[in-house]
């Protein structure tokens, strides 16, 4: 295992989405044994850690982000023994393992919710969740106007045993994901038990789901949303259910609990709040260790936007003593090999499908994605990769309606495609069934016919492949210690409208976001996301939408 304190400050963490990574038992859904069998490929890639999206017992209404038991492995993914083996195999390969903790809500199948339903209003069991009487005559109207992130009201009404309508319960996401009441000490204690359960097993930390949502504004007041309606968050004026001050007390308690354990365990926040200076509150020294940088993820593909977000990120995170983090893709957003070729008015976060306007050009998308990733991996701090981006995978746009599974698609009645397009099982071997994802050829979301070209075995050892680009970048990042370096803008490009250029330690990084080739400064090319050429002036040129590292 990488030694040294606070390994996470410079780590590259690879997100595994278990359903779609590798399927050992052939049922078309990835599993823990599948992950274990493919870990050597990740060690070769050169990442420091993996983060596993949820594999806990769940009815899978939101692909496992609806947990029915936090301390059991869903049989869909295997057994606890499979998990222990995965952990052991990862550690033997020098890879740390972070698991996903989903504390904002449980599944409606969770024992705690069932007990709440079986208990009368205002009972201790109901107080574990957020139950309220409705408004108006007969309590027929929901307690407030909040809209679910996945569409529709955030409230659902119960029907009593006598068949009469009863209280309402709150769910920020799907109606099968009731929100827990984090004002209740009982809930807090139960989660400490859960954290200890996994820490005792040896996990290296937790990615914490919806770490900005657990405390709601007192009195649950109505919200007047900005015109786009509810989203994953990030609006300047946070709604009464996002980013409330009370969440920080929880993170301080979790921080203390992790600190009791040896080995530098880590908490990483999924907190969709803005601006960056606010998000940095989640990573103050006594709270979480890292937070995903969603401002960076959604920054425009322009030199000005990129420089601004890099400067703002480093300033905001370093003001609280935390490392900056960088991320371009995950299981909730359009893959960056497609997103970076979408116009500014194209839908983001909510998916893209056959009838969406403004389809991304795949060639432009991949070129930009490679340039963006090469830029990101040269930045100091931590970085997150999402499975398949090292293969250059695009978003799958042409998924048949009948195959879609994201609750967003159902709750918005098809108005939003949702996130299935970034969750399609990844290709390992070009000529194997399901591209090597599953021995039987089954795949829970259909893989496109043209995906053979992205298969890992087609890219291994191939100069110029996206896989080789990531491997080279990760190796250089490690040997040149870029994670612990600093960004210094090259003065000659500091105001350029097309070029982002900086040095980090002894590496000079130049990204060309414009339409024309640019002349590179002197230096040997260490890495290039697209082939550099020699121009008429005899100097080395960097083509459009490309990044080079010189040193
Ligand atoms: C987070 C997850 C997302 C999930 C939601 C509800 O945003 O990343 O996939 O649907 O929380 O748990």
């Amino acid at each position: 295992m990488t030694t040294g304190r606070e390994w996470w400050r410079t780590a590259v963490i690879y997100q595994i989405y278990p359903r779609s990574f590798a399927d050992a038992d052939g049922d078309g859904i990835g599993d823990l044994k599948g992950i274990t069998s493919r870990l050597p490929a990740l060690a070769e890639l050169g990442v420091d850690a993996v983060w596993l999206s949820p594999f806990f017992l769940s009815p899978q209404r939101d692909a496992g982000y609806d947990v029915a038991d936090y301390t059991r492995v869903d049989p869909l993914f295997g057994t606890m023994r499979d998990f222990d083996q995965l952990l052991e195999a990862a550690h033997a390969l020098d890879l740390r393992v972070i698991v996903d903790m989903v504390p904002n809500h449980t599944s409606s199948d969770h024992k705690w919710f069932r007990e709440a339903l079986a208990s009368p209003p205002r009972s201790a069991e109901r107080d574990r969740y957020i139950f309220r009487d409705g408004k108006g005559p007969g309590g027929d109207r929901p307690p407030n106007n909040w809209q679910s992130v996945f569409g529709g009201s955030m409230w659902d009404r119960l029907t009593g045993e006598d068949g009469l309508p009863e209280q309402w319960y709150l769910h920020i996401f799907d109606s099968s994901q009731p929100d827990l009441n984090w004002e209740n000490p009982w809930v807090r204690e139960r989660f400490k038990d859960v954290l200890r359960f996994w820490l005792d097993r040896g996990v290296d930390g937790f990615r914490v789901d919806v770490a900005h949502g657990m405390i709601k504004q007192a009195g649950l007041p109505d919200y007047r949303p900005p015109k786009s309606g509810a989203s994953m968050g990030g609006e300047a004026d946070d709604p009464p259910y996002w980013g409330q001050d009370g969440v920080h007390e929880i993170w301080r308690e979790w921080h203390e609990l992790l600190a009791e354990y040896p080995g530098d365990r880590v908490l990483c926040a999924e907190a969709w709040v803005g601006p960056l200076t606010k998000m940095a509150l989640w990573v103050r020294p006594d709270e979480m260790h890292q937070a995903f940088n969603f401002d960076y993820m959604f920054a425009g593909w322009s030199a000005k936007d990129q420089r601004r977000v890099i400067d703002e990120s480093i300033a905001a995170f370093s003001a609280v003593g935390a490392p900056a983090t960088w991320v371009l893709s995950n299981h909730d957003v359009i893959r960056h090999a497609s997103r970076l070729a979408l116009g500014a008015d194209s839908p983001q976060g909510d998916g893209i499908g056959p009838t969406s306007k403004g389809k991304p050009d795949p060639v432009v998308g991949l070129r930009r994605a490679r340039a963006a990733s090469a830029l990101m991996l040269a930045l100091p701090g931590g970085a997150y990769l999402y499975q398949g981006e090292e293969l250059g995978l695009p978003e799958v746009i042409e998924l048949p309606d009948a195959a879609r599974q994201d609750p967003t698609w159902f709750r918005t009645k098809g108005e939003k495609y949702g996130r299935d397009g970034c969750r399609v099982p990844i290709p390992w071997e070009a000529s194997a069934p399901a591209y090597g994802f599953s021995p039987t050829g089954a795949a829970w979301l259909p893989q496109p016919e043209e995906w053979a070209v992205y298969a890992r075995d087609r890219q291994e050892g191939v100069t110029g492949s996206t896989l080789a680009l990531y491997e080279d970048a990760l190796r250089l990042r490690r040997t040149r210690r870029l994670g612990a370096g600093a960004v210094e803008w090259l003065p000659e490009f500091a105001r350029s409208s097309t070029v982002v250029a900086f040095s980090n330690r002894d590496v000079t990084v130049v990204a060309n976001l414009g339409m024309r080739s640019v002349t590179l400064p002197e230096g040997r090319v260490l890495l290039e996301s697209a082939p550099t050429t020699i121009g008429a002036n005899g100097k080395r040129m960097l083509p459009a939408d490309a990044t080079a590292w010189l040193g």
Side-chain angles (χ1 to χ4, degrees):
M1 188 99 25
T2 324
T3 49
R5 273 181 50 73
E6 306 197 324
W7 59 276
W8 41 271
R9 286 188 175 272
T10 58
V12 177
I13 301 177
Y14 182 99
Q15 179 186 0
I16 293 179
Y17 194 67
R19 299 177 75 87
S20 305
F21 187 70
D23 172 24
D25 68 8
D27 66 355
I29 299 179
D31 45 46
L32 298 178
K33 277 204 164 98
I35 296 173
T36 306
S37 74
R38 297 291 191 181
L39 285 175
L42 299 184
E44 250 167 63
L45 176 62
V47 297
D48 302 291
V50 296
W51 142 37
L52 304 179
S53 279
F55 51 85
F56 316 112
L57 191 72
S58 162
Q60 304 289 325
R61 300 268 190 79
D62 185 22
Y65 282 93
D66 48 326
V67 181
D69 188 332
Y70 293 88
T71 55
R72 281 178 62 194
V73 172
D74 196 299
L76 200 57
F77 299 114
T79 61
M80 195 57 86
R81 199 175 135 68
D82 295 339
F83 177 76
D84 289 339
Q85 283 174 349
L86 185 162
L87 193 62
E88 202 186 316
H91 285 168
L93 288 165
D94 210 11
L95 292 168
R96 298 189 189 243
V97 178
I98 291 170
V99 299
D100 216 312
M101 196 42 59
V102 190
N104 179 70
H105 44 267
T106 67
S107 159
S108 48
D109 282 7
H110 197 291
K111 183 169 78 136
W112 303 336
F113 193 69
R114 288 169 181 265
E115 287 169 358
L117 293 187
S119 305
R122 284 163 278 279
S123 59
E125 288 80 3
R126 288 255 170 131
D127 194 41
R128 299 167 183 172
Y129 291 87
I130 304 179
F131 285 92
R132 291 288 184 279
D133 296 331
K135 277 189 178 163
D140 286 345
R141 285 190 290 119
N144 66 28
N145 71 349
W146 298 358
Q147 294 293 298
S148 152
V149 169
F150 293 161
S153 173
M154 249 192 225
W155 296 92
D156 257 47
R157 193 168 193 188
L158 306 180
T159 306
E161 271 177 8
D162 52 6
L164 293 175
E166 221 238 61
Q167 279 195 303
W168 300 70
Y169 69 91
L170 180 80
H171 55 88
I172 290 187
F173 297 92
D174 188 51
S175 53
S176 66
Q177 294 166 298
D179 276 47
L180 283 162
N181 172 18
W182 275 85
E183 308 284 357
N184 183 341
W186 185 91
V187 169
R188 295 191 184 211
E189 288 312 309
R190 292 295 69 72
F191 268 88
K192 288 185 185 161
D193 298 342
V194 173
L195 294 179
R196 288 189 193 286
F197 176 87
W198 290 104
L199 291 167
D200 289 340
R201 285 209 110 72
V203 304
D204 297 289
F206 304 96
R207 174 264 187 192
V208 184
D209 194 64
V210 197
H212 57 313
M214 290 150 73
I215 297 289
K216 282 73 180 173
Q217 196 173 313
L220 312 183
D222 271 356
Y223 173 52
R224 301 265 154 257
K227 40 182 182 346
S228 58
S231 74
M232 296 296 257
E235 290 108 6
D237 58 331
D238 281 324
Y241 41 89
W242 289 150
Q244 302 298 306
D245 285 345
V247 294
H248 297 290
E249 191 184 297
I250 304 169
W251 308 135
R252 283 191 278 268
E253 287 178 14
W254 285 30
H255 181 105
E256 271 180 30
L257 193 152
L258 262 72
E260 290 170 22
Y261 284 80
D264 252 342
R265 319 281 174 118
V266 60
L267 291 170
C268 175
E270 186 216 25
W272 295 81
V273 291
L276 274 158
T277 43
K278 176 159 184 181
M279 203 228 270
L281 300 178
W282 271 249
V283 288
R284 284 176 288 189
D286 58 348
E287 297 197 29
M288 305 183 95
H289 304 85
Q290 288 195 331
F292 298 116
N293 187 345
F294 294 123
D295 275 29
Y296 176 74
M297 180 184 261
F298 288 120
W301 188 240
S302 81
K304 203 169 138 234
D305 283 351
Q306 294 288 319
R307 276 196 302 269
R308 177 196 51 79
V309 76
I310 291 169
D311 271 340
E312 285 179 8
S313 305
I314 292 172
F317 286 116
S318 59
V320 292
T325 65
W326 314 101
V327 60
L328 289 165
S329 280
N330 67 27
H331 66 294
D332 288 328
V333 303
I334 298 174
R335 280 186 177 275
H336 68 286
S338 300
R339 197 180 70 236
L340 290 172
L342 287 169
D345 54 352
S346 301
Q348 287 188 331
D350 295 328
I352 182 167
T355 65
S356 303
K357 284 195 215 108
K359 305 256 175 67
D361 175 329
V363 176
V364 174
L366 181 56
R367 219 166 53 213
R368 290 188 178 166
R370 291 168 53 108
S373 301
L375 173 59
M376 172 175 88
L377 291 172
L379 292 168
Y384 283 84
L385 306 180
Y386 175 51
Q387 66 179 39
E389 69 170 83
E390 77 282 16
L391 306 175
L393 288 188
E395 184 82 358
V396 180
I397 297 171
E398 304 298 331
L399 274 179
D401 288 0
R404 293 193 181 271
Q405 311 224 2
D406 185 350
T408 310
W409 165 256
F410 297 103
R411 290 186 64 90
T412 64
K413 303 190 173 56
E415 209 178 287
K416 293 181 178 178
Y417 282 105
R419 303 159 294 176
D420 293 316
C422 65
R423 298 176 173 182
V424 173
I426 63 172
W428 294 90
E429 284 120 29
S431 341
Y435 304 115
F437 164 70
S438 162
T440 59
W444 70 282
L445 284 172
Q447 299 164 298
E449 294 197 351
E450 65 281 4
W451 265 22
V453 292
Y454 297 105
R456 193 175 209 279
D457 69 343
R458 285 270 177 99
Q459 303 195 42
E460 267 163 3
V462 176
T463 313
S465 70
T466 303
L467 180 64
L469 176 71
Y470 272 75
E471 283 176 354
D472 289 348
L474 288 166
R475 183 175 34 78
L476 284 163
R477 179 185 163 84
R478 189 176 293 219
T479 52
R480 307 273 175 145
R481 297 177 45 240
L482 300 185
V487 166
E488 276 183 49
W489 301 113
L490 296 197
E492 61 269 40
F493 294 111
R495 303 185 69 81
S496 163
S497 58
T498 53
V499 175
V500 174
F502 60 89
S503 62
N504 180 359
R505 294 191 184 271
D506 57 356
V507 177
T508 300
V509 180
V510 183
N512 178 6
L513 288 71
M515 316 261 276
R516 286 197 211 106
S517 297
V518 294
T519 306
L520 280 170
E522 293 301 311
R524 189 168 65 88
V525 175
L526 303 171
L527 183 91
E528 50 189 26
S529 74
T532 55
T533 52
I534 302 295
N537 57 3
K539 303 231 178 207
R540 193 163 281 279
M541 308 289 290
L542 180 66
D545 288 331
T547 298
W549 297 10
L550 312 168

